[in-house]
Amino acid sequence: SSCACTPGDVNDDGSLNVQDVVAVVSCILGSGECNDCADMNADGQINVQDVVGMVSLILGNRTTSDATEATLNINGGSVSLKADGFISAVQMTLSHDLGFAIDLTNKAMVADYRTNGNSTTLIVVAPDSDHLFDATGEFTISEVMVYNSENEIPTSVAPSEFGLASAYPNPFNPSTSLSIAVPANGFVSVSVYNAMGQQVDVIHSGNMTAGTHNLTWNASDMTSGVYFVRAESSNAASVQKVMLMK
């Protein structure tokens, strides 16, 4: 339906505030009524981008700079989002079994969801912490969109388990590449040992951010033979066998 109110002022009370955001989120999730005033950016669609525009006006002159990238962390049934700046809104779609249940964060301007059969769509607006929700039951993330005050930003999903992937090439001469999955920020060491168990090289020693990282071992100074690459974090370890053939 059409209305004569100011864009974003969904309840037509003369001000743009969190009540309007709640109404637009409900509209997007399909649990509330929609009107043309929810189309904040006047693009003919009512979606999370309209919420982003509303949040920018409501928060005004904030001091936190916009996020440029984010990482989604899944630890059991707990899901959090780590970003390098301000996040205006998160929209996510989950696929799951019928026994699924979700508990959204209460540290956000608005947080709401709607479940339809085996699919749940959730929206978290201006989260005040990294934690987004806790869930009971198995689920997979089908879609995730994360926005700063203006645009959608690149978002990666951190691996759930620490470990090294298979080296390639293997056998190799003189270098090989490995990827390491790091589920949470922290100290990581990656060292190389010979067949006698002696440490012969250190590929990495220091902090790593959550995510998947690519490493290269150049063994040009080593003799041919079997070596073991060992990656360690504060609570996990992973070993990969490689063979240098010159």
Side-chain angles (χ1 to χ4, degrees), residues 45-114:
Q45 303 179 64
I46 300 173
N47 52 36
V48 71
Q49 290 177 306
D50 297 301
V51 174
V52 169
M54 297 170 72
V55 170
S56 294
L57 289 178
I58 292 171
L59 295 182
N61 297 321
R62 56 182 173 79
T63 57
T64 307
S65 59
D66 270 347
T68 59
E69 60 182 8
T71 301
L72 197 65
N73 294 280
I74 306 170
N75 185 6
S78 181
V79 177
S80 60
L81 184 75
K82 186 70 175 180
D84 59 353
F86 174 73
I87 295 297
S88 180
V90 180
Q91 181 171 329
M92 201 179 305
T93 301
L94 312 176
S95 299
H96 50 76
D97 295 330
L98 292 177
F100 176 82
I102 189 169
D103 181 22
L104 291 178
T105 178
N106 58 6
K107 295 182 178 180
M109 181 183 291
V110 178
D112 200 2
Y113 73 95
R114 188 177 188 189

Side-chain angles (χ1 to χ4, degrees), residues 36 39-47 50:
D36 291 345
D39 186 11
M40 182 74 183
N41 59 9
D43 66 352
Q45 303 179 64
I46 300 173
N47 52 36
D50 297 301

Side-chain angles (χ1 to χ4, degrees), residues 26-243:
S26 296
C27 164
I28 296 170
L29 293 176
S31 55
E33 294 184 359
C34 300
N35 61 46
D36 291 345
C37 305
D39 186 11
M40 182 74 183
N41 59 9
D43 66 352
Q45 303 179 64
I46 300 173
N47 52 36
V48 71
Q49 290 177 306
D50 297 301
V51 174
V52 169
M54 297 170 72
V55 170
S56 294
L57 289 178
I58 292 171
L59 295 182
N61 297 321
R62 56 182 173 79
T63 57
T64 307
S65 59
D66 270 347
T68 59
E69 60 182 8
T71 301
L72 197 65
N73 294 280
I74 306 170
N75 185 6
S78 181
V79 177
S80 60
L81 184 75
K82 186 70 175 180
D84 59 353
F86 174 73
I87 295 297
S88 180
V90 180
Q91 181 171 329
M92 201 179 305
T93 301
L94 312 176
S95 299
H96 50 76
D97 295 330
L98 292 177
F100 176 82
I102 189 169
D103 181 22
L104 291 178
T105 178
N106 58 6
K107 295 182 178 180
M109 181 183 291
V110 178
D112 200 2
Y113 73 95
R114 188 177 188 189
T115 297
N116 184 10
N118 293 331
S119 179
T120 292
T121 299
L122 65 94
I123 296 175
V124 178
V125 180
D128 288 338
S129 70
D130 295 345
H131 178 253
L132 296 180
F133 66 86
D134 292 313
T136 302
E138 297 293 325
F139 67 91
T140 58
I141 298 175
S142 306
E143 182 182 36
V144 58
M145 295 181 291
V146 179
Y147 291 83
N148 59 24
S149 66
E150 295 182 354
N151 304 302
E152 184 176 359
I153 63 173
T155 303
S156 59
V157 179
S160 58
E161 295 183 0
F162 180 85
L164 284 168
S166 298
Y168 181 83
N170 189 23
F172 68 98
N173 179 30
S175 62
T176 186
S177 296
L178 309 95
S179 64
I180 181 170
V182 181
N185 297 349
F187 182 85
V188 174
S189 66
V190 183
S191 301
V192 183
Y193 297 83
N194 61 21
M196 302 294 291
Q198 299 167 318
Q199 186 183 77
V200 296
D201 205 353
V202 176
I203 301 175
H204 175 87
S205 180
N207 288 327
M208 273 191 176
T209 57
T212 300
H213 302 266
N214 295 317
L215 302 173
T216 299
W217 181 42
N218 188 325
S220 57
D221 294 334
M222 303 295 171
T223 58
S224 297
V226 173
Y227 293 88
F228 297 90
V229 181
R230 179 180 174 85
E232 292 184 81
S233 67
S234 60
N235 55 11
S238 178
V239 178
Q240 183 73 215
K241 179 180 177 181
V242 297
M243 180 176 288

